[in-house]
């Protein structure tokens, strides 16, 4: 018998002020939360940190869910790796349209996940467990921002369409789909 345990990132709370100041209030909150057991980090640019996290979720949650694979397996496909680059470029264009240059590097991101064969992003876990997936918060919000700011995002729209169909099937059937991948 083999037991599969998905790779889990250690929890960490990232906090910051909307005016990018390193306030005393922020330092106190970080210290209190850390002492309570949740490692907490302070950032001077919370918007950039949130967009960076959104970009990772925007790429890996949908692709892992649709392919039923961890990021390391996805980047082994040259076509899928190209899609990662397209999604990153489109997501970065949306961020720029609201005043934030993420300076995204698709090759660095592909290299970062190359050996990540065990991670199961939350959306993939939801698909396998038969729970509705968080399309609106991760994918559709960026597609809607693109629409509002006039940024073309054909790849993100295509992936959003596939996620919508996947989510509808999960909700309609009331059960998970997929398999447990082994490294």
């Amino acid at each position: 018998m083999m037991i599969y345990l998905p790779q889990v990132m250690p929890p960490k709370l990232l906090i910051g002020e909307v005016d990018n100041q390193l306030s005393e209030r922020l330092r106190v909150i970080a210290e209190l939360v850390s002492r309570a057991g949740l490692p907490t980090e302070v950032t001077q640019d919370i918007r950039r940190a949130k967009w960076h996290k959104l970009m990772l979720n925007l790429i890996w949650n949908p692709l892992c869910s649709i392919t039923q694979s961890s990021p390391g397996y996805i980047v082994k496909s040259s076509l899928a790796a190209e899609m990662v680059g397209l999604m990153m470029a489109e997501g970065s264009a949306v961020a720029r349209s609201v005043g934030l240059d993420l300076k995204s590097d698709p090759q660095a991101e592909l290299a970062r996940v190359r050996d990540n064969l065990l991670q199961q992003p939350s959306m993939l876990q939801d698909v396998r467990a038969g729970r509705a997936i968080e399309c609106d918060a991760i994918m559709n919000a960026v597609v809607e921002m693109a629409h509002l700011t006039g940024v073309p995002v054909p790849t993100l729209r295509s992936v959003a369409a596939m996620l919508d169909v996947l989510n509808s099937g999960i909700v309609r059937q009331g059960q998970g789909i997929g398999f447990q991948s082994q490294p």
Side-chain angles (χ1 to χ4, degrees):
M1 173 183 200
M2 181 176 263
I3 298 174
Y4 175 73
L5 298 174
Q7 179 181 354
V8 178
M9 300 300 291
K12 176 181 78 173
L13 179 63
L14 186 62
I15 61 174
E17 298 280 7
V18 294
D19 65 1
N20 294 335
Q21 298 299 310
L22 291 177
S23 66
E24 178 63 17
R25 168 179 83 149
L26 201 57
R27 187 194 63 72
V28 169
I29 291 169
E31 185 179 314
L32 288 171
V33 175
S34 290
R35 273 195 276 145
L38 179 59
T40 304
E41 185 178 314
V42 174
T43 180
Q44 276 189 278
D45 195 346
I46 194 66
R47 286 188 180 95
R48 180 176 303 282
K50 288 178 70 126
W51 266 95
H52 177 73
K53 170 84 169 162
L54 178 59
M55 284 291 290
L56 295 178
N57 284 330
L58 181 70
I59 294 165
W60 298 117
N61 270 289
L63 292 182
C64 292
S65 299
I66 292 166
T67 65
Q68 292 291 294
S69 299
S70 295
Y73 292 111
I74 292 171
V75 302
K76 291 181 188 312
S77 160
S78 60
L79 292 174
E82 182 180 333
M83 181 172 270
V84 168
L86 291 169
M87 292 174 74
M88 186 172 278
E90 292 176 13
S92 293
V94 175
R96 275 192 306 281
S97 77
V98 295
L100 189 62
D101 185 1
L102 296 178
K103 296 175 179 47
S104 300
D105 181 349
Q107 293 307 312
E109 180 59 18
L110 294 173
R112 184 186 73 82
V113 301
R114 184 167 289 119
D115 296 323
N116 186 346
L117 303 176
L118 296 177
Q119 183 183 11
Q120 291 185 19
S122 60
M123 193 180 284
L124 175 56
Q125 293 175 39
D126 290 341
V127 167
R128 290 180 174 171
R131 295 185 294 262
I133 54 180
E134 46 194 344
C135 301
D136 289 337
I138 292 176
M139 178 62 69
N140 296 343
V142 177
V143 170
E144 184 176 341
M145 273 192 271
H147 175 73
L148 293 172
T149 59
V151 175
V153 290
T155 307
L156 293 179
R157 289 179 57 80
S158 296
V159 173
M162 288 184 272
L163 273 185
D164 186 47
V165 173
L166 177 61
N167 190 50
S168 294
I170 291 168
V171 170
R172 184 177 56 253
Q173 295 171 14
Q175 64 183 17
I177 62 171
F179 54 88
Q180 297 293 320
S181 64
Q182 301 294 324

